[in-house]
Amino acid sequence: MNPRRDRSAWLHGPDARCQDPPPRFPGRRFVLLGAPGIGKGTQAALLSAAFGACHLSTGDLFRAALHGDGDRLSPAMRDALARMRRGELVPDVTVLDLVRERVECLRCRGGFLLDGFPRTVPQATALDRMLSDEELGLDAVLSYELPEEAIVARIGGRRTCPACKSVYHVELRPPRTAGRCDACGGELVLRDDDQPAAVHVRQAAHAANTAPLLDYYGRRDLLVSVDADGSPEVVFDRTLAALCARVR
Ligand code: AMP
């Protein structure tokens, strides 16, 4: 297993430097799709440990800004954070500015696992352009699937560490000590956008945007569907099996 990668350049922008040593083997480049709360972040952490690729979550970028110095936020970022608290999508232009600033992370030899981006077809076409400018391509787009009632039940039990972004579930993936992060000891919280009112807005936004995105990647023969029912380990095994079946 590879150590967890530090992702400084992604979380803190292009002036920050990652501490990880350069990877020995070229990494994989995956996009993870699926409704909020389906467990993409957990799968991304497991895939990152297995393949060494960085887990790049646009949601983590906004949460890092939320917990940073409020006085230094641009008007676009303030607007983005207000939308995030309500469970709405952030405008494409804001998301794309943030990702473009971090294009080094897309070029990284270690590869990447994009989680929460792209969420719309304009974001997907912009990502394609950024990658093709670097003569890079995606290995696969993993689409995690589960009925909405099961997702809403999962989100209610989800707990996140604001300090190191580790994700737990009170029943499916409990921390060793209740309410405390195993990795850094931080206090675990229910995210603002995991509160019930925001959850419904997020599910509706996902439903509206997801079909065109699945169609977009299906037409490029990149889509790999994974049933997200079961424990994180079961879903992870299913993910590896689906990826193996694709390369055969
Ligand atoms: P996530 O952790 O991926 O569920 O993202 C949390 C919130 O951040 C979302 O509900 C949106 O408000 C915002 N967000 C994250 N990524 C994007 C994106 N690619 N496009 C629009 N909004 C996003």
Side-chain angles (χ1 to χ4, degrees):
M1 286 271 199
N2 293 287
R4 196 185 162 102
R5 307 194 72 82
D6 81 347
R7 303 179 297 162
S8 296
W10 179 257
L11 292 176
H12 308 298
D15 294 339
R17 287 279 160 270
C18 293
Q19 300 302 310
D20 308 305
R24 289 175 57 201
F25 303 106
R28 305 291 188 89
R29 290 183 290 271
F30 296 130
V31 165
L32 279 69
L33 299 181
I38 205 162
K40 293 188 300 294
T42 305
Q43 291 307 310
L46 294 170
L47 286 160
S48 172
F51 292 110
C54 267
H55 172 195
L56 306 182
S57 151
T58 38
D60 281 350
L61 285 186
F62 294 121
R63 285 183 285 278
L66 195 63
H67 294 107
D69 178 358
D71 292 344
R72 295 180 52 197
L73 292 179
S74 66
M77 188 53 105
R78 278 177 211 277
D79 170 69
L81 298 184
R83 287 174 192 264
M84 185 179 84
R85 282 197 203 90
R86 295 193 296 266
E88 297 166 13
L89 286 190
V90 172
D92 288 341
V93 62
T94 311
V95 177
L96 289 171
D97 280 351
L98 283 173
V99 175
R100 282 200 191 96
E101 273 177 11
R102 290 159 174 78
V103 73
E104 282 294 328
C105 296
L106 302 181
R107 278 189 206 129
C108 176
R109 193 174 146 79
F112 58 73
L113 299 150
L114 279 171
D115 163 13
F117 175 86
R119 257 182 165 92
T120 63
V121 170
Q123 291 181 17
T125 50
L127 172 65
D128 271 357
R129 233 171 287 127
M130 283 183 250
L131 291 175
S132 63
D133 285 350
E134 306 296 330
E135 297 184 9
L136 298 171
L138 294 172
D139 290 295
V141 174
L142 292 159
S143 171
Y144 289 96
E145 287 160 16
L146 196 65
E148 182 172 338
E149 317 81 74
I151 297 172
V152 172
R154 259 190 208 181
I155 292 180
R158 182 155 75 172
R159 298 293 180 272
T160 307
C161 174
C164 76
K165 319 289 177 246
S166 296
V167 180
Y168 301 85
H169 189 280
V170 289
E171 283 159 19
L172 299 173
R173 196 181 179 79
R176 286 194 292 273
T177 306
R180 289 275 158 205
C181 176
D182 291 349
C184 74
E187 191 179 345
L188 301 180
V189 299
L190 181 67
R191 286 170 14 190
D192 282 352
D193 58 346
D194 282 347
Q195 306 288 343
V199 167
H200 287 293
V201 180
R202 289 165 73 202
Q203 296 296 329
H206 173 74
N209 286 302
T210 204
L213 213 46
L214 294 179
D215 183 54
Y216 181 89
Y217 285 122
R219 277 189 278 117
R220 283 158 182 75
D221 198 23
L222 283 167
L223 207 57
V224 176
S225 299
V226 183
D227 174 1
D229 188 25
S231 69
E233 291 71 22
V234 166
V235 178
F236 181 58
D237 286 348
R238 238 181 249 140
T239 303
L240 293 183
L243 287 173
C244 285
R246 180 182 157 77
V247 291
R248 244 183 245 136

